[in-house]
């Protein structure tokens, strides 16, 4: 299967700082990437759809100015949590849709803890 | 939008027994239904999936059934083993082949515990 790399795997930051998370497809071109958030013992909730070369599409209730998404190339999408607060502490995970066969692959996830 | 309901939230079985997890969905446009196994702190792992043009799919001890008319699908695990213990999520996605494909709506998850 395809390899999707996500970094960092874990980050601890102070309240008010910004954190950037990278999702990279290593062996294929990804026109579309998805960002999910998972709170402890809960399900995965889609935050936004990231399309290469265009603005991301955010799900209802997700603040686009707080969760900045950039998909500048066919292999990299970034999610920046701006001015993070403790309530943003969560597991963030990307998934990638391949252009060729439409298989979906998940990144390894990023555990964000905001103190 | 799509809404996926998953039951039960927890399931405890003895090793060797079968386990069944059920999901319902609301959007008739959904036509791709994957099941994921997730261990604590790890990414979801696809274990089986089904598209709406088939009613059943099997892969060794794992099977999925789909009733498109009733909008429900189920995961069946036979001969369960302790290593099957994990959280299982069902999901639904619309329009395989369309621009919305890949936007997964997940069920709430089922914590499966297999006792030796």
């Amino acid at each position: 299967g395809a390899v999707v790399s996500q970094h960092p795997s874990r980050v601890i930051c102070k309240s008010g700082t910004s954190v950037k998370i990278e999702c990279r497809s290593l062996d294929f071109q990804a026109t579309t990437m998805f960002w999910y958030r998972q709170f402890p013992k809960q399900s995965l909730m889609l935050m936004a759809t990231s399309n290469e070369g265009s603005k991301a599409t955010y799900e209802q209730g997700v603040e686009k100015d707080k969760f900045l998404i950039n998909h500048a190339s066919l292999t990299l999408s970034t999610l920046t949590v701006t001015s993070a607060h403790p309530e943003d502490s969560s597991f963030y995970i990307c998934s990638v849709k391949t252009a060729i066969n439409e298989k979906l692959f998940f990144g390894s996830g990023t555990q964000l803890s905001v103190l | 939008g799509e809404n996926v309901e998953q039951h039960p939230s927890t399931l405890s079985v003895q090793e060797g027994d079968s386990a069944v997890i059920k999901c319902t969905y609301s959007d008739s446009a959904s036509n791709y239904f994957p099941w994921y196994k997730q261990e604590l702190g790890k990414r979801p792992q696809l274990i089986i999936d089904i598209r709406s043009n088939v009613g059943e799919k099997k892969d060794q001890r794992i099977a999925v059934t789909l009733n498109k008319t009733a909008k429900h699908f189920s995961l069946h695990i036979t001969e369960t083993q302790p290593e099957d213990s994990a959280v299982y999520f069902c999901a639904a996605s619309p329009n395989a082949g369309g621009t919305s494909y890949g936007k997964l709506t997940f069920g709430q998850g089922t914590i499966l515990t297999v006792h030796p």
Side-chain angles (χ1 to χ4, degrees):
Chain A
V3 179
V4 179
S5 173
Q6 188 173 338
H7 292 284
S9 58
R10 181 178 295 273
V11 59
I12 302 172
C13 69
K14 292 182 179 180
S15 184
T17 60
S18 294
V19 175
K20 179 183 283 189
I21 302 169
E22 291 188 351
C23 180
R24 195 179 299 270
S25 59
L26 299 183
D27 54 358
F28 63 95
Q29 294 182 337
T31 54
T32 304
M33 295 184 180
F34 304 93
W35 287 96
Y36 294 84
R37 179 168 54 184
Q38 185 178 30
F39 291 110
K41 298 185 179 181
Q42 294 190 24
S43 188
L44 291 88
M45 298 295 292
L46 179 66
M47 298 175 66
T49 302
S50 170
N51 297 296
E52 187 267 336
S54 63
K55 290 184 178 180
T57 304
Y58 291 82
E59 295 299 303
Q60 190 174 7
V62 178
E63 299 175 58
K64 62 179 182 179
D65 294 330
K66 181 168 183 62
F67 299 99
L68 301 179
I69 292 173
N70 185 284
H71 193 157
S73 77
L74 286 171
T75 59
L76 175 65
S77 176
T78 61
L79 167 68
T80 301
V81 183
T82 62
S83 186
H85 292 285
E87 56 266 30
D88 298 323
S89 298
S90 184
F91 188 62
Y92 293 86
I93 190 165
C94 65
S95 78
V96 176
K97 179 170 70 171
T98 61
I100 297 176
N101 57 15
E102 296 196 318
K103 290 289 187 181
L104 301 172
F105 299 95
F106 280 92
S108 52
T110 297
Q111 183 64 52
L112 171 64
S113 299
V114 185
L115 304 178
Chain B
E2 176 64 277
N3 181 50
V4 178
E5 296 287 334
Q6 181 173 346
H7 299 281
S9 56
T10 60
L11 181 58
S12 183
V13 300
Q14 288 296 128
E15 182 176 2
D17 288 350
S18 295
V20 180
I21 304 171
K22 298 181 178 181
C23 288
T24 60
Y25 63 99
S26 61
D27 190 348
S28 57
S30 291
N31 57 10
Y32 174 64
F33 307 93
W35 284 89
Y36 292 92
K37 176 182 180 182
Q38 187 181 31
E39 298 177 349
L40 189 63
K42 301 291 180 64
R43 78 185 84 193
Q45 297 279 0
L46 178 68
I47 56 172
I48 197 167
D49 58 8
I50 191 168
R51 295 184 186 269
S52 59
N53 57 346
V54 298
E56 184 173 358
K57 184 177 178 181
K58 189 174 182 179
D59 182 5
Q60 299 183 343
R61 296 187 297 111
I62 295 172
V64 57
T65 58
L66 171 66
N67 183 326
K68 195 168 169 60
T69 302
K71 295 195 183 71
H72 65 72
F73 56 112
S74 300
L75 176 71
H76 303 253
I77 305 175
T78 58
E79 300 173 33
T80 54
Q81 302 166 2
E83 48 266 38
D84 293 331
S85 297
V87 182
Y88 289 80
F89 291 98
C90 63
S93 175
N95 301 329
T99 55
S100 297
Y101 174 68
K103 291 178 64 173
L104 295 172
T105 301
F106 284 86
Q108 295 83 355
T110 297
I111 302 172
L112 174 64
T113 304
V114 181
H115 299 282

